[in-house]
Amino acid sequence: MKIAIQKGKIVSIINFMYEEVTVVRKQSRMRRAFIDLLKEKQEAYNKERTLILEENAQKDEKGKAIVKSNGDYDIVDTVAFYMDLKELNEEEIFIEGSDHREMLRTVKVMLRKLEDREYGGLKSEIYDYLCDQFELDEEETTAPEGGEK
């Protein structure tokens, strides 16, 4: 199994998993592993975002990005900055492989259990996005390990 997640949605997915998914035992451990993995990806995203800020900021005489007193960068070209940021947000991270197979299967089961809940706003958008990424609407094409379909 392999899933792709847009970098700009990582924080919302982490929040959704914390707020909406109530689990115990193995599912709790797998949710924690999924969230921890997403947090690692978010840290890398934050570094990339800072680089974009620094690249698009006005520079001082030493060539360092100027940061205003309120902590914001002094952006020179906001259009270029927002285009770069939009591109970064739409880039995808991939989670796949044997190391994450059980975690991904378990998260998929957790998401299936949430099918009858009603969501609104951002929660609805994130749930639908996760369903698409985990392909919940598609039929299983292979039998589970050790059993028949």
Side-chain angles (χ1 to χ4, degrees):
M1 176 181 270
K2 172 181 169 180
I3 65 163
I5 295 175
Q6 288 182 345
K7 291 179 179 179
K9 295 188 185 299
I10 294 173
V11 170
S12 296
I13 291 170
I14 291 170
N15 291 338
F16 181 87
M17 295 301 290
Y18 271 130
E19 296 167 7
E20 297 300 322
V21 181
T22 306
V23 290
V24 295
R25 295 186 292 282
K26 178 182 178 181
Q27 289 184 350
S28 180
R29 291 190 315 275
M30 294 297 122
R31 178 184 65 176
R32 164 66 38 221
F34 184 58
I35 289 171
D36 288 347
L37 184 60
L38 291 176
K39 283 182 177 180
E40 287 176 25
K41 302 294 185 180
Q42 182 63 29
E43 287 177 24
Y45 166 87
N46 290 339
K47 289 177 184 175
E48 291 176 71
R49 186 176 186 281
T50 299
L51 287 174
I52 290 173
L53 282 164
E54 290 173 353
E55 288 172 0
N56 288 282
Q58 189 168 350
K59 308 292 190 282
D60 63 14
E61 58 278 349
K62 294 180 182 177
K64 297 223 178 206
I66 296 175
V67 180
K68 300 177 192 175
S69 60
N70 64 359
D72 291 340
Y73 284 80
D74 186 9
I75 301 299
V76 176
D77 183 352
T78 55
V79 173
F81 167 70
Y82 285 114
M83 287 177 63
D84 290 347
L85 188 59
K86 182 179 187 286
E87 184 179 302
L88 176 64
N89 286 337
E90 291 174 353
E91 287 177 10
E92 294 178 324
I93 58 147
F94 295 93
I95 303 172
E96 63 181 321
S98 59
D99 291 346
H100 304 297
R101 183 180 12 218
E102 189 63 26
M103 176 190 67
L104 293 174
R105 284 183 188 168
T106 304
V107 171
K108 187 173 185 173
V109 168
M110 286 185 266
L111 292 171
R112 277 219 167 104
K113 289 180 180 180
L114 302 175
E115 286 180 325
D116 294 332
R117 287 193 189 173
E118 290 184 19
Y119 300 102
L122 181 61
K123 288 180 183 179
S124 175
E125 182 181 321
I126 294 300
Y127 178 71
D128 289 346
Y129 181 80
L130 286 170
C131 287
D132 289 345
Q133 302 318 303
F134 280 87
E135 301 173 345
L136 288 189
D137 293 334
E138 296 182 15
E139 290 292 319
E140 290 292 323
T141 56
T142 58
E145 289 180 16
E148 295 181 25
K149 185 176 173 185

